[in-house]
Short mmCIF file of all heavy atoms in Angstrom, two decimals:
data_model
loop_
_atom_site.label_atom_id
_atom_site.label_comp_id
_atom_site.label_asym_id
_atom_site.label_seq_id
_atom_site.Cartn_x
_atom_site.Cartn_y
_atom_site.Cartn_z
N ARG A 335 -8.10 7.56 3.78
CA ARG A 335 -8.06 9.01 3.71
C ARG A 335 -9.20 9.66 4.52
O ARG A 335 -9.04 10.74 5.07
CB ARG A 335 -8.14 9.48 2.26
CG ARG A 335 -6.95 9.03 1.45
CD ARG A 335 -7.24 9.13 -0.02
NE ARG A 335 -8.44 8.43 -0.38
CZ ARG A 335 -9.12 8.57 -1.51
NH1 ARG A 335 -8.70 9.46 -2.40
NH2 ARG A 335 -10.18 7.84 -1.76
N ASN A 528 -14.56 0.59 -2.21
CA ASN A 528 -15.02 0.73 -0.83
C ASN A 528 -15.19 2.19 -0.48
O ASN A 528 -14.22 2.89 -0.28
CB ASN A 528 -14.03 0.10 0.13
CG ASN A 528 -14.54 0.16 1.56
OD1 ASN A 528 -15.74 0.05 1.80
ND2 ASN A 528 -13.66 0.36 2.52
N PRO A 529 -16.38 2.72 -0.44
CA PRO A 529 -17.63 1.97 -0.53
C PRO A 529 -18.23 2.00 -1.94
O PRO A 529 -17.94 2.87 -2.71
CB PRO A 529 -18.53 2.72 0.42
CG PRO A 529 -18.08 4.17 0.22
CD PRO A 529 -16.62 4.10 -0.04
N ASP A 542 -15.56 4.98 -4.34
CA ASP A 542 -14.09 4.99 -4.20
C ASP A 542 -13.58 3.80 -5.00
O ASP A 542 -14.30 2.84 -5.21
CB ASP A 542 -13.70 4.83 -2.72
CG ASP A 542 -12.21 5.03 -2.49
OD1 ASP A 542 -11.52 5.54 -3.40
OD2 ASP A 542 -11.71 4.66 -1.40
MN1 MN B 930 -12.52 3.97 0.50
#
Side-chain angles (χ1 to χ4, degrees):
R335 297 164 304 165
N528 184 34
D542 188 14

